[in-house]
CSV table of all heavy atoms in Angstrom, one decimal:
chain,number,residue,atom,x,y,z
A,42,PRO,N,131.8,17.0,107.2
A,42,PRO,CA,131.4,18.1,106.3
A,42,PRO,C,130.3,19.0,107.0
A,42,PRO,O,129.4,18.4,107.7
A,42,PRO,CB,130.9,17.5,105.0
A,42,PRO,CG,130.4,16.1,105.4
A,42,PRO,CD,131.4,15.7,106.6
A,43,ALA,N,130.3,20.3,106.9
A,43,ALA,CA,129.4,21.2,107.5
A,43,ALA,C,128.1,21.2,106.6
A,43,ALA,O,128.1,21.2,105.4
A,43,ALA,CB,129.9,22.6,107.5
A,44,SER,N,127.0,21.1,107.3
A,44,SER,CA,125.7,21.1,106.6
A,44,SER,C,124.7,21.9,107.5
A,44,SER,O,124.7,21.8,108.7
A,44,SER,CB,125.2,19.7,106.3
A,44,SER,OG,124.9,19.0,107.5
A,45,ALA,N,123.8,22.6,106.8
A,45,ALA,CA,122.8,23.4,107.5
A,45,ALA,C,121.5,22.7,107.5
A,45,ALA,O,121.2,21.9,106.6
A,45,ALA,CB,122.7,24.8,106.9
A,46,GLN,N,120.6,23.0,108.4
A,46,GLN,CA,119.3,22.4,108.4
A,46,GLN,C,118.4,23.2,107.4
A,46,GLN,O,118.7,24.3,107.1
A,46,GLN,CB,118.6,22.6,109.8
A,46,GLN,CG,119.3,21.7,110.8
A,46,GLN,CD,118.5,21.9,112.2
A,46,GLN,OE1,117.9,22.9,112.4
A,46,GLN,NE2,118.7,20.9,113.0
A,47,SER,N,117.4,22.5,106.9
A,47,SER,CA,116.5,23.2,106.0
A,47,SER,C,115.7,24.2,106.6
A,47,SER,O,115.3,24.1,107.8
A,47,SER,CB,115.6,22.1,105.4
A,47,SER,OG,114.6,22.7,104.6
A,48,ALA,N,115.4,25.3,105.9
A,48,ALA,CA,114.5,26.3,106.5
A,48,ALA,C,113.1,26.0,106.4
A,48,ALA,O,112.2,26.6,107.0
A,48,ALA,CB,114.7,27.6,105.7
A,49,TYR,N,112.7,24.9,105.8
A,49,TYR,CA,111.3,24.4,105.7
A,49,TYR,C,111.0,23.4,106.7
A,49,TYR,O,111.8,22.6,107.1
A,49,TYR,CB,111.1,23.8,104.3
A,49,TYR,CG,111.4,24.8,103.2
A,49,TYR,CD1,112.5,24.8,102.4
A,49,TYR,CD2,110.5,25.8,102.9
A,49,TYR,CE1,112.8,25.7,101.4
A,49,TYR,CE2,110.7,26.8,101.9
A,49,TYR,CZ,111.9,26.7,101.2
A,49,TYR,OH,112.1,27.6,100.2
A,50,ILE,N,109.8,23.4,107.2
A,50,ILE,CA,109.3,22.5,108.2
A,50,ILE,C,108.7,21.3,107.5
A,50,ILE,O,107.8,21.4,106.7
A,50,ILE,CB,108.2,23.1,109.1
A,50,ILE,CG1,108.9,24.3,109.8
A,50,ILE,CG2,107.7,22.1,110.1
A,50,ILE,CD1,107.8,25.2,110.6
A,51,THR,N,109.2,20.1,107.9
A,51,THR,CA,108.7,18.9,107.3
A,51,THR,C,107.4,18.5,108.0
A,51,THR,O,107.4,18.5,109.2
A,51,THR,CB,109.7,17.8,107.4
A,51,THR,OG1,111.0,18.2,106.9
A,51,THR,CG2,109.2,16.5,106.7
A,52,GLN,N,106.3,18.3,107.2
A,52,GLN,CA,105.1,18.0,107.8
A,52,GLN,C,104.8,16.5,107.7
A,52,GLN,O,105.0,15.9,106.6
A,52,GLN,CB,103.9,18.7,107.2
A,52,GLN,CG,104.1,20.2,107.4
A,52,GLN,CD,102.9,21.0,106.8
A,52,GLN,OE1,102.0,20.4,106.2
A,52,GLN,NE2,102.9,22.3,107.0
A,53,ALA,N,104.4,15.8,108.7
A,53,ALA,CA,104.2,14.4,108.7
A,53,ALA,C,102.8,14.1,108.3
A,53,ALA,O,101.8,14.8,108.7
A,53,ALA,CB,104.5,13.8,110.1
A,54,ASN,N,102.6,13.1,107.6
A,54,ASN,CA,101.3,12.6,107.2
A,54,ASN,C,100.7,11.7,108.3
A,54,ASN,O,101.4,10.7,108.7
A,54,ASN,CB,101.4,11.8,105.9
A,54,ASN,CG,100.0,11.4,105.4
A,54,ASN,OD1,99.0,11.6,106.0
A,54,ASN,ND2,100.0,10.8,104.2
A,55,PRO,N,99.6,12.1,108.9
A,55,PRO,CA,99.1,11.3,110.0
A,55,PRO,C,98.7,9.8,109.6
A,55,PRO,O,98.6,9.0,110.5
A,55,PRO,CB,97.8,12.0,110.5
A,55,PRO,CG,97.5,12.9,109.4
A,55,PRO,CD,98.7,13.2,108.6
A,56,ASN,N,98.5,9.5,108.4
A,56,ASN,CA,98.2,8.2,107.9
A,56,ASN,C,99.4,7.3,107.6
A,56,ASN,O,99.3,6.1,107.4
A,56,ASN,CB,97.3,8.3,106.6
A,56,ASN,CG,96.0,9.0,106.9
A,56,ASN,OD1,95.4,8.9,108.0
A,56,ASN,ND2,95.5,9.7,105.9
A,57,SER,N,100.6,7.9,107.7
A,57,SER,CA,101.8,7.2,107.4
A,57,SER,C,102.2,6.4,108.6
A,57,SER,O,101.9,6.6,109.7
A,57,SER,CB,102.9,8.1,106.9
A,57,SER,OG,103.3,8.9,108.0
A,58,SER,N,103.0,5.3,108.3
A,58,SER,CA,103.5,4.5,109.4
A,58,SER,C,104.5,5.2,110.2
A,58,SER,O,105.3,6.1,109.7
A,58,SER,CB,104.1,3.2,108.9
A,58,SER,OG,105.2,3.5,108.1
A,59,GLY,N,104.5,5.0,111.5
A,59,GLY,CA,105.5,5.7,112.4
A,59,GLY,C,104.9,7.0,112.9
A,59,GLY,O,105.6,7.7,113.7
A,60,PHE,N,103.7,7.4,112.6
A,60,PHE,CA,103.1,8.6,113.2
A,60,PHE,C,102.6,8.3,114.5
A,60,PHE,O,101.8,7.4,114.8
A,60,PHE,CB,102.0,9.1,112.2
A,60,PHE,CG,101.3,10.3,112.8
A,60,PHE,CD1,102.0,11.6,112.7
A,60,PHE,CD2,100.1,10.3,113.3
A,60,PHE,CE1,101.4,12.7,113.2
A,60,PHE,CE2,99.5,11.4,113.8
A,60,PHE,CZ,100.1,12.6,113.7
A,61,THR,N,103.0,9.1,115.5
A,61,THR,CA,102.5,9.0,116.8
A,61,THR,C,101.8,10.3,117.2
A,61,THR,O,102.3,11.4,116.9
A,61,THR,CB,103.6,8.7,117.8
A,61,THR,OG1,104.5,9.8,117.8
A,61,THR,CG2,104.3,7.4,117.6
A,62,SER,N,100.7,10.2,117.8
A,62,SER,CA,99.9,11.3,118.2
A,62,SER,C,100.1,11.6,119.7
A,62,SER,O,100.2,10.7,120.5
A,62,SER,CB,98.4,11.0,118.0
A,62,SER,OG,97.6,12.1,118.5
A,63,THR,N,100.3,12.9,120.0
A,63,THR,CA,100.5,13.3,121.4
A,63,THR,C,99.2,13.8,122.0
A,63,THR,O,99.1,14.4,123.0
A,63,THR,CB,101.5,14.5,121.4
A,63,THR,OG1,101.0,15.5,120.6
A,63,THR,CG2,102.8,14.0,120.9
A,64,ALA,N,98.0,13.6,121.3
A,64,ALA,CA,96.7,14.0,121.7
A,64,ALA,C,96.3,13.1,122.9
A,64,ALA,O,96.7,12.0,123.0
A,64,ALA,CB,95.7,13.9,120.6
A,65,SER,N,95.5,13.7,123.8
A,65,SER,CA,95.1,12.9,125.0
A,65,SER,C,94.1,11.9,124.5
A,65,SER,O,93.4,12.0,123.4
A,65,SER,CB,94.4,13.9,126.0
A,65,SER,OG,93.3,14.5,125.4
A,66,PRO,N,93.9,10.8,125.2
A,66,PRO,CA,93.0,9.7,124.8
A,66,PRO,C,91.6,10.1,124.7
A,66,PRO,O,90.8,9.5,124.0
A,66,PRO,CB,93.2,8.7,125.9
A,66,PRO,CG,94.4,9.0,126.7
A,66,PRO,CD,94.7,10.5,126.4
A,67,SER,N,91.2,11.2,125.3
A,67,SER,CA,89.8,11.6,125.3
A,67,SER,C,89.4,12.3,123.9
A,67,SER,O,88.3,12.5,123.6
A,67,SER,CB,89.4,12.5,126.4
A,67,SER,OG,90.2,13.7,126.3
A,68,ILE,N,90.4,12.7,123.2
A,68,ILE,CA,90.2,13.4,121.9
A,68,ILE,C,90.3,12.4,120.8
A,68,ILE,O,91.2,11.6,120.7
A,68,ILE,CB,91.2,14.5,121.7
A,68,ILE,CG1,91.1,15.6,122.7
A,68,ILE,CG2,91.0,15.1,120.3
A,68,ILE,CD1,92.1,16.6,122.7
A,69,GLN,N,89.2,12.3,119.9
A,69,GLN,CA,89.2,11.3,118.8
A,69,GLN,C,89.7,12.1,117.6
A,69,GLN,O,89.2,13.2,117.3
A,69,GLN,CB,87.9,10.7,118.6
A,69,GLN,CG,87.4,9.8,119.7
A,69,GLN,CD,86.1,9.1,119.3
A,69,GLN,OE1,85.3,9.8,118.7
A,69,GLN,NE2,85.9,7.9,119.8
A,70,LEU,N,90.5,11.5,116.8
A,70,LEU,CA,90.9,12.0,115.5
A,70,LEU,C,90.0,11.5,114.5
A,70,LEU,O,89.8,10.3,114.4
A,70,LEU,CB,92.4,11.6,115.2
A,70,LEU,CG,93.4,12.2,116.2
A,70,LEU,CD1,94.8,11.7,115.8
A,70,LEU,CD2,93.4,13.7,116.1
A,71,ILE,N,89.5,12.4,113.6
A,71,ILE,CA,88.5,12.0,112.6
A,71,ILE,C,89.2,12.0,111.3
A,71,ILE,O,89.8,13.1,110.9
A,71,ILE,CB,87.3,12.9,112.6
A,71,ILE,CG1,86.6,12.9,114.0
A,71,ILE,CG2,86.3,12.6,111.5
A,71,ILE,CD1,85.5,13.9,114.1
A,72,PRO,N,89.3,10.9,110.5
A,72,PRO,CA,89.9,11.0,109.2
A,72,PRO,C,89.2,11.9,108.3
A,72,PRO,O,88.0,11.9,108.2
A,72,PRO,CB,90.0,9.5,108.8
A,72,PRO,CG,88.9,8.9,109.6
A,72,PRO,CD,88.7,9.6,110.9
A,73,VAL,N,89.9,12.6,107.5
A,73,VAL,CA,89.3,13.5,106.5
A,73,VAL,C,89.8,13.0,105.1
A,73,VAL,O,91.0,12.8,104.9
A,73,VAL,CB,89.7,14.9,106.7
A,73,VAL,CG1,89.1,15.8,105.7
A,73,VAL,CG2,89.2,15.4,108.1
A,74,SER,N,88.9,12.9,104.2
A,74,SER,CA,89.3,12.5,102.8
A,74,SER,C,90.1,13.6,102.2
A,74,SER,O,89.8,14.8,102.3
A,74,SER,CB,88.1,12.2,102.0
A,74,SER,OG,88.4,12.1,100.6
A,75,GLN,N,91.2,13.3,101.4
A,75,GLN,CA,92.0,14.3,100.8
A,75,GLN,C,91.3,14.9,99.6
A,75,GLN,O,91.6,16.0,99.2
A,75,GLN,CB,93.3,13.6,100.3
A,75,GLN,CG,94.2,13.1,101.4
A,75,GLN,CD,94.8,14.2,102.2
A,75,GLN,OE1,94.9,15.3,101.7
A,75,GLN,NE2,95.2,14.0,103.4
A,76,ASN,N,90.3,14.3,99.0
A,76,ASN,CA,89.6,14.8,97.8
A,76,ASN,C,88.3,15.3,98.1
A,76,ASN,O,87.5,15.5,97.2
A,76,ASN,CB,89.5,13.7,96.8
A,76,ASN,CG,90.9,13.3,96.3
A,76,ASN,OD1,91.8,14.1,96.2
A,76,ASN,ND2,91.0,12.0,95.9
A,77,ALA,N,88.0,15.6,99.4
A,77,ALA,CA,86.7,16.1,99.8
A,77,ALA,C,86.5,17.6,99.3
A,77,ALA,O,87.5,18.3,99.3
A,77,ALA,CB,86.5,16.1,101.3
A,78,PRO,N,85.3,18.0,98.8
A,78,PRO,CA,85.2,19.4,98.4
A,78,PRO,C,85.3,20.3,99.6
A,78,PRO,O,84.9,20.0,100.7
A,78,PRO,CB,83.7,19.4,97.8
A,78,PRO,CG,83.1,18.2,98.4
A,78,PRO,CD,84.1,17.2,98.7
A,79,ARG,N,85.9,21.4,99.3
A,79,ARG,CA,86.2,22.4,100.3
A,79,ARG,C,85.0,23.4,100.5
A,79,ARG,O,84.4,23.8,99.5
A,79,ARG,CB,87.4,23.2,100.0
A,79,ARG,CG,88.6,22.3,100.0
A,79,ARG,CD,89.8,23.2,99.8
A,79,ARG,NE,91.0,22.3,99.7
A,79,ARG,CZ,92.2,22.7,99.7
A,79,ARG,NH1,92.5,23.9,99.7
A,79,ARG,NH2,93.2,21.8,99.6
A,80,GLN,N,84.6,23.6,101.7
A,80,GLN,CA,83.5,24.6,101.9
A,80,GLN,C,84.2,25.9,102.3
A,80,GLN,O,85.1,26.0,103.1
A,80,GLN,CB,82.6,24.1,103.0
A,80,GLN,CG,81.8,22.9,102.7
A,80,GLN,CD,80.9,22.5,103.8
A,80,GLN,OE1,81.0,23.0,104.9
A,80,GLN,NE2,80.0,21.6,103.5
A,81,THR,N,83.7,27.0,101.7
A,81,THR,CA,84.2,28.3,102.0
A,81,THR,C,83.0,29.1,102.5
A,81,THR,O,81.9,29.0,102.0
A,81,THR,CB,84.9,29.0,100.8
A,81,THR,OG1,84.0,29.0,99.8
A,81,THR,CG2,86.1,28.2,100.4
A,82,ALA,N,83.3,30.0,103.4
A,82,ALA,CA,82.2,30.9,103.9
A,82,ALA,C,82.6,32.3,103.6
A,82,ALA,O,83.8,32.6,103.6
A,82,ALA,CB,82.1,30.7,105.5
A,83,PHE,N,81.6,33.1,103.3
A,83,PHE,CA,81.9,34.5,103.0
A,83,PHE,C,82.2,35.2,104.3
A,83,PHE,O,81.4,35.3,105.2
A,83,PHE,CB,80.7,35.2,102.2
A,83,PHE,CG,80.9,36.6,102.1
A,83,PHE,CD1,81.8,37.1,101.2
A,83,PHE,CD2,80.2,37.5,102.8
A,83,PHE,CE1,82.0,38.5,101.0
A,83,PHE,CE2,80.3,38.9,102.7
A,83,PHE,CZ,81.3,39.4,101.8
A,84,VAL,N,83.4,35.8,104.4
A,84,VAL,CA,83.8,36.6,105.5
A,84,VAL,C,84.0,38.0,105.0
A,84,VAL,O,84.9,38.3,104.2
A,84,VAL,CB,85.0,36.0,106.2
A,84,VAL,CG1,85.4,36.9,107.4
A,84,VAL,CG2,84.8,34.6,106.6
A,85,PRO,N,83.1,39.0,105.5
A,85,PRO,CA,83.3,40.3,105.0
A,85,PRO,C,84.6,41.0,105.5
A,85,PRO,O,85.0,40.7,106.6
A,85,PRO,CB,82.1,41.0,105.5
A,85,PRO,CG,81.6,40.2,106.7
A,85,PRO,CD,82.0,38.8,106.4
A,86,THR,N,85.2,41.8,104.6
A,86,THR,CA,86.4,42.5,105.1
A,86,THR,C,86.0,43.6,106.0
A,86,THR,O,84.8,44.0,106.1
A,86,THR,CB,87.0,43.1,103.8
A,86,THR,OG1,86.1,44.0,103.2
A,86,THR,CG2,87.5,42.1,102.9
A,87,PRO,N,86.9,44.1,106.8
A,87,PRO,CA,86.5,45.1,107.9
A,87,PRO,C,85.8,46.3,107.3
A,87,PRO,O,84.9,46.9,107.9
A,87,PRO,CB,87.8,45.5,108.5
A,87,PRO,CG,88.7,44.3,108.3
A,87,PRO,CD,88.3,43.7,107.0
Side-chain angles (χ1 to χ4, degrees):
S44 63
Q46 289 182 340
S47 172
Y49 300 102
I50 298 172
T51 306
Q52 296 183 357
N54 184 355
N56 297 328
S57 66
S58 62
F60 176 74
T61 57
S62 174
T63 58
S65 64
S67 63
I68 298 175
Q69 288 184 331
L70 297 176
I71 300 171
V73 177
S74 171
Q75 295 291 337
N76 296 328
R79 296 181 184 191
Q80 292 182 346
T81 57
F83 173 72
V84 178
T86 58

